[in-house]
Amino acid sequence: MFPSFRQHHNCYCAFCKSPRRIYRKKSISLMNVLGSALASVVIMFAIWQQFDPRVMIVFVVCLAFSEVFVKIRWRLSVVCRACGFDPVLYTKDPQAAADKVRFQLDVRKQDPKYLLAKPLNLPAIPAEKAKALQEKGKGRLVSRSI
């Protein structure tokens, strides 16, 4: 299959370095527009049995549904399932992303189904560097609080 037609992209989590797959598409493409047009024509003939100008409203609704579906699918695939790191949230609010990762790692620590799971490859920062970063006011290090 052609590489440009692949739906998934193999990558690694920026925090725990676990391999994962994310969707490439962030918004709708020409194929989604054509699919929405076809769906609106089918709905038009199913409801009115002839051409009707209200099909444009149905077309816009179909486009909106496809855009929402693609956005939600992409957004859910970006979040790491192992550590809970969310790169989109990190770009907007790093502290909220750190809190989300901390919460996910606390849940992982308490949940018995993760007892025999492969341990995460969390970033290791030497104690001297961690202390220097704390003094600079860069924030708290999530990997040190685990």
Side-chain angles (χ1 to χ4, degrees):
M1 187 167 206
F2 298 110
S4 62
F5 291 128
R6 288 189 316 192
Q7 297 249 341
H8 292 95
H9 177 69
N10 294 329
C11 65
Y12 294 95
C13 175
F15 187 74
C16 69
K17 298 174 187 63
S18 61
R20 57 200 195 108
R21 296 174 67 174
I22 62 171
Y23 282 98
R24 288 179 179 259
K25 286 176 34 172
K26 293 182 186 179
S27 61
I28 60 175
S29 64
L30 178 64
M31 291 303 290
N32 296 109
V33 173
L34 293 176
S36 296
L38 180 65
S40 62
V41 167
V42 168
I43 291 171
M44 175 189 67
F45 281 117
I47 294 175
W48 296 295
Q49 286 87 27
Q50 63 183 0
F51 181 77
D52 195 281
R54 292 179 281 189
V55 73
M56 295 307 289
I57 296 171
V58 175
F59 175 65
V60 170
V61 169
C62 287
L63 275 180
F65 277 135
S66 62
E67 178 72 25
V68 166
F69 175 74
V70 170
K71 284 277 188 194
I72 289 174
R73 183 181 68 172
W74 173 78
R75 187 69 179 87
L76 289 176
S77 74
V78 168
V79 178
C80 180
R81 300 203 191 291
C83 68
F85 180 71
D86 187 356
V88 177
L89 180 62
Y90 181 76
T91 58
K92 294 179 181 177
D93 188 9
Q95 185 59 39
D99 292 339
K100 187 175 177 182
V101 169
R102 187 174 297 110
F103 176 74
Q104 178 71 23
L105 292 178
D106 288 341
V107 167
R108 184 180 171 94
K109 194 186 311 182
Q110 300 297 327
D111 196 358
K113 74 177 182 180
Y114 292 112
L115 285 175
L116 298 176
K118 182 181 173 189
L120 296 177
N121 186 15
L122 296 176
I125 299 175
E128 301 86 30
K129 187 172 182 180
K131 190 172 186 177
L133 286 173
Q134 291 287 348
E135 290 171 359
K136 284 185 179 179
K138 294 281 187 181
R140 294 182 7 197
L141 298 173
V142 175
S143 61
R144 282 285 167 208
S145 64
I146 298 171

